[in-house]
């Protein structure tokens, strides 16, 4: 089932790219495996998937231990400062940086572990109270501050769009993200490379791609519904 789902998602990615004259190679599919067992990830791995998304530090650590080391782990969930140390040298990209204090903590841990961290700045484009992320009006200021941290490298922006029944409703947020991304790119800030625009989930990734997403985060569409009732 997982193999077929991935093929299906890849087809839709290719079609969305074609609609707006992009190459499918411009879009990276991140398989969001949170709450799902290791066997599911292994099946996806067999199809060639190497990018996986998780939102809990403990879960990344557990899965990291037992799965192939060429997997690229993406931290997509809210990250607490006291947990940075457990994952900073295990993940390829932290999508959810939403404060200078968190970036500073990541920098500190990188110094201790003699590593570097690639990060995205999470933007709360729809101004939802329930979501983390900075206000887009503060983006440039925060990015300029974080850019001064030597072991942390800003690679782009991430957003979680509202849950909507019609994905077209999120098009405006994705378009605004793209605008902000291009804006920041044109500022040519030292130690800031705008090459990643992480937006779009199962419900709306095709719209996100049409509006310029370079990374889409698809969970349910690959692994099926998540069950949060069992532990
Ligand atoms: C869970 C999650 C996803 C995947 O959501 P689906 O709707 O299952 O595709 C994507 N991004 C983030 C930040 C998530 O927490």
């Amino acid at each position: 089932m997982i193999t077929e789902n991935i093929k299906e998602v890849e087809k839709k990615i290719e079609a969305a790219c074609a609609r707006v004259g992009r190459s499918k190679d411009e879009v990276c599919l991140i398989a969001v495996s949170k709450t799902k067992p290791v066997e599911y990830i292994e099946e996806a791995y067999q199809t060639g998937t190497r990018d996986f998304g998780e939102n809990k530090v403990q879960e990344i650590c557990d899965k990291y231990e037992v799965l192939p080391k060429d997997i690229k782990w993406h931290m997509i969930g809210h990250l607490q400062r006291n947990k940075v140390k457990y994952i900073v040298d295990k993940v390829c990209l932290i999508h959810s940086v939403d404060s200078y204090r968190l970036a500073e903590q990541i920098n500190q841990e990188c110094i201790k572990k003699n590593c570097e961290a690639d990060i995205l700045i999470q933007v709360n484009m729809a101004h939802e109270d329930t979501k983390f992320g900075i206000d887009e009006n503060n983006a440039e200021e925060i990015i300029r501050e974080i850019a001064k941290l030597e072991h942390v490298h800003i690679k782009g922006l991430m957003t979680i769009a509202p849950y909507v029944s019609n994905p077209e409703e999120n098009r405006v947020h994705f378009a605004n993200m793209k605008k902000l991304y291009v804006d920041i790119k044109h500022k040519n800030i030292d130690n800031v490379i705008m090459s990643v625009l992480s937006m779009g989930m199962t419900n709306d990734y095709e719209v996100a791609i049409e509006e310029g997403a370079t990374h889409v985060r698809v969970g349910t569409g690959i692994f099926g519904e998540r069950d949060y009732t069992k532990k």
Side-chain angles (χ1 to χ4, degrees):
M1 177 199 83
I2 292 167
T3 305
E4 291 90 78
N5 288 347
I6 290 175
K7 295 264 172 328
E8 195 59 36
V9 172
E10 282 173 344
K11 249 196 259 161
K12 288 183 176 165
I13 289 174
E14 192 169 350
C17 285
R19 286 197 290 279
V20 291
R22 300 179 68 193
S23 155
K24 69 174 177 18
D25 304 328
E26 291 173 40
V27 177
C28 171
L29 170 60
I30 300 171
V32 176
S33 46
K34 65 191 188 199
T35 77
K36 298 297 182 184
V38 161
E39 300 78 65
Y40 283 35
I41 299 176
E42 281 167 341
E43 183 175 342
Y45 184 90
Q46 292 306 323
T47 73
T49 303
R50 292 294 178 271
D51 291 88
F52 291 91
E54 292 281 345
N55 68 344
K56 294 225 156 56
V57 165
Q58 185 65 51
E59 207 171 333
I60 291 180
C61 292
D62 293 347
K63 288 173 172 172
Y64 179 90
E65 272 309 304
V66 297
L67 284 159
K69 288 295 172 282
D70 64 341
I71 285 181
K72 293 192 263 174
W73 294 104
H74 294 256
M75 175 56 183
I76 61 174
H78 182 65
L79 181 56
Q80 288 172 300
R81 289 164 67 238
N82 62 353
K83 294 195 174 157
V84 168
K85 58 176 175 283
Y86 302 115
I87 57 151
V88 77
D89 54 350
K90 295 189 178 70
V91 300
C92 74
L93 188 61
I94 302 172
H95 292 232
S96 45
V97 176
D98 60 359
S99 71
Y100 178 76
R101 271 159 52 94
L102 175 58
E104 197 179 32
Q105 185 73 38
I106 296 170
N107 193 57
Q108 292 287 323
E109 294 300 335
C110 283
I111 291 169
K112 282 189 207 155
K113 293 198 158 64
N114 192 26
C115 65
E116 315 262 313
D118 289 341
I119 66 162
L120 305 180
I121 304 301
Q122 182 174 349
V123 181
N124 186 355
M125 202 33 102
H127 307 284
E128 288 180 286
D129 292 342
T130 51
K131 296 238 165 79
F132 293 103
I134 63 162
D135 188 290
E136 82 259 31
N137 295 312
N138 303 330
E140 184 181 346
E141 190 187 341
I142 290 179
I143 286 170
R144 285 191 186 278
E145 277 304 302
I146 294 177
K148 293 177 193 155
L149 300 167
E150 289 188 348
H151 289 251
V152 169
H153 309 297
I154 297 174
K155 298 291 180 191
L157 306 177
M158 178 271 230
T159 198
I160 304 175
Y163 186 79
V164 290
S165 51
N166 177 2
E168 284 298 330
E169 292 173 42
N170 281 335
R171 188 178 292 278
V172 61
H173 302 307
F174 296 141
N176 286 336
M177 280 293 289
K178 176 66 188 269
K179 255 186 243 154
L180 179 63
Y181 171 87
V182 170
D183 241 33
I184 305 265
K185 196 201 259 293
H186 286 161
K187 309 264 181 200
N188 287 317
I189 303 166
D190 267 359
N191 191 24
V192 176
I193 296 174
M194 283 284 141
S195 62
V196 177
L197 188 50
S198 169
M199 57 188 194
M201 310 181 6
T202 296
N203 197 37
D204 55 18
Y205 67 90
E206 293 164 273
V207 175
I209 289 170
E210 289 171 6
E211 296 301 327
T214 67
H215 288 58
V216 292
R217 310 177 306 264
V218 179
T220 311
I222 292 175
F223 297 111
E225 294 288 338
R226 284 176 294 274
D227 183 357
Y228 288 105
T229 57
K230 60 170 193 262
K231 184 75 200 112

